[in-house]
Amino acid sequence: MQTRLDEIADGIYRISTHIPEIAPPTGFTFNQFLVAAEEPLLFHTGMRALFPPVSEAIARVMPVDRLRWITFGHVEADECGALNEFLAVAQQAEVAHNTLGCLVTLNDLVSRPPRPMGEGERLDIGGHEVRRVVRNIDTPHVPHNWEARLLFEEHTRTLFCGDLFTHLGNGPAVTADGIVEPCLEAEELFRQISCLTATTTTLRSLADLRPATLAVMHGSSFNGDCPRALNDLADALDFRFGPETEFVSRPSVLAEPHPWLESPHPRLK
């Protein structure tokens, strides 16, 4: 297992752990994103088993206990499994999520009350030289989960897009090469995107933001023509996985059971 740290936009760091046993032979990455603002923000925590390497990577940029905001796209182990571990270390940190996610899950799951955000609401995370503001974008069921949402960092125009554009392998931290085709190949394997009509409509509305960087949770981030990539993905999903497309069952992406799936406190080597 390998965890690396790369700056993918001004003051935004990608923390990436590659796990070869998932989706062999190329493996699969789990990515978190640190916004090094006056009030530092972490998007995704990773699973509890990833808390040690992720916190060590953050410490290369700043003390972990300086974290002020912890956010993520939707409630899944790889998005927020280590949430309470980070809250225990960063005593001033708050979880910020959309109002629905707080109501249905996080008010009970989080060790201290989360901060709900409305659709389109902006959170000012400060900065003396560069003012950082992140905007909440509700995307119910896109790519999946009722409480799904994304964040848009307005200074660098970085869209933290969660599981959108998921692809396999251990590529570069950020690329300008096409990511639509690798995403479609992964979708044929995972079938993780739900509610096609809502998804394609949402993707096209995200393109209207004209992001400069797509911070992808699984795979390389993207700094090419982001609006075109979002629109192309919408078109391709409509064509390949529309209601008239025959579903073909795929084999499991796990060659064998992996420790972090079996135990709440696994030891990763």
Side-chain angles (χ1 to χ4, degrees):
M1 188 185 71
Q2 171 189 356
T3 298
R4 58 179 294 179
L5 174 75
D6 296 274
E7 189 173 13
I8 64 166
D10 181 24
I12 297 180
Y13 296 85
R14 172 186 182 261
I15 301 163
S16 182
T17 303
H18 179 242
I19 300 181
E21 293 87 350
I22 299 179
T26 57
F28 201 56
T29 58
F30 294 86
N31 304 326
Q32 301 79 41
F33 298 93
L34 174 67
V35 183
E38 184 178 355
E39 298 183 3
L41 178 146
L42 180 66
F43 191 81
H44 304 151
T45 70
M47 300 82 74
R48 282 185 288 173
L50 291 182
F51 174 72
V54 172
S55 57
E56 288 170 8
I58 293 172
R60 293 165 57 188
V61 179
M62 60 173 223
V64 180
D65 61 8
R66 278 199 59 226
L67 281 175
R68 179 65 181 84
W69 299 102
I70 298 172
T71 70
F72 42 91
H74 50 267
V75 181
E76 287 181 344
D78 59 346
E79 300 250 353
C80 60
L83 187 156
N84 286 321
E85 280 78 358
F86 277 105
L87 289 178
V89 172
Q91 292 296 314
Q92 65 175 350
E94 293 181 74
V95 172
H97 198 76
N98 65 15
T99 300
L100 179 62
C102 292
L103 289 173
V104 301
T105 303
L106 297 176
N107 287 340
D108 181 70
L109 184 68
V110 180
S111 60
R112 50 183 177 266
R115 199 275 205 193
M117 297 182 68
E119 163 59 22
E121 183 176 349
R122 290 170 166 84
L123 181 66
D124 188 338
I125 59 176
H128 299 295
E129 297 181 3
V130 174
R131 201 72 184 176
R132 303 270 184 180
V133 176
V134 294
R135 188 193 319 170
N136 175 65
I137 302 171
D138 289 343
T139 59
H141 301 290
V142 179
H144 42 250
N145 288 23
W146 184 24
E147 81 291 346
R149 53 80 78 117
L150 306 178
L151 272 189
F152 184 60
E153 198 279 313
E154 296 183 345
H155 171 68
T156 62
R157 306 193 66 78
T158 296
L159 179 64
F160 297 98
C161 54
D163 287 337
L164 290 175
F165 291 101
T166 287
H167 52 280
L168 306 177
N170 187 24
V174 62
T175 181
D177 294 336
I179 60 170
V180 173
E181 192 62 33
C183 168
L184 295 172
E185 292 173 0
E187 180 60 15
E188 288 181 352
L189 181 64
F190 291 116
R191 292 307 298 256
Q192 56 103 16
I193 297 176
S194 62
C195 299
L196 182 63
T197 301
T199 298
T200 54
T201 301
T202 298
L203 285 167
R204 294 186 176 102
S205 69
L206 293 172
D208 292 339
L209 294 171
R210 304 200 63 79
T213 301
L214 300 175
V216 177
M217 182 175 187
H218 302 292
S220 300
S221 293
F222 182 69
N223 62 0
D225 188 337
C226 298
R228 179 175 179 177
L230 287 157
N231 281 315
D232 285 352
L233 180 59
D235 292 342
L237 288 172
D238 205 5
F239 177 75
R240 292 202 188 185
F241 303 106
E244 296 181 1
T245 303
E246 182 179 356
F247 175 74
V248 179
S249 179
R250 302 289 180 178
S252 171
V253 298
L254 292 174
E256 57 185 35
H258 200 263
W260 61 259
L261 290 178
E262 297 177 336
S263 168
H265 297 286
R267 182 182 66 181
L268 291 180
K269 299 179 179 179

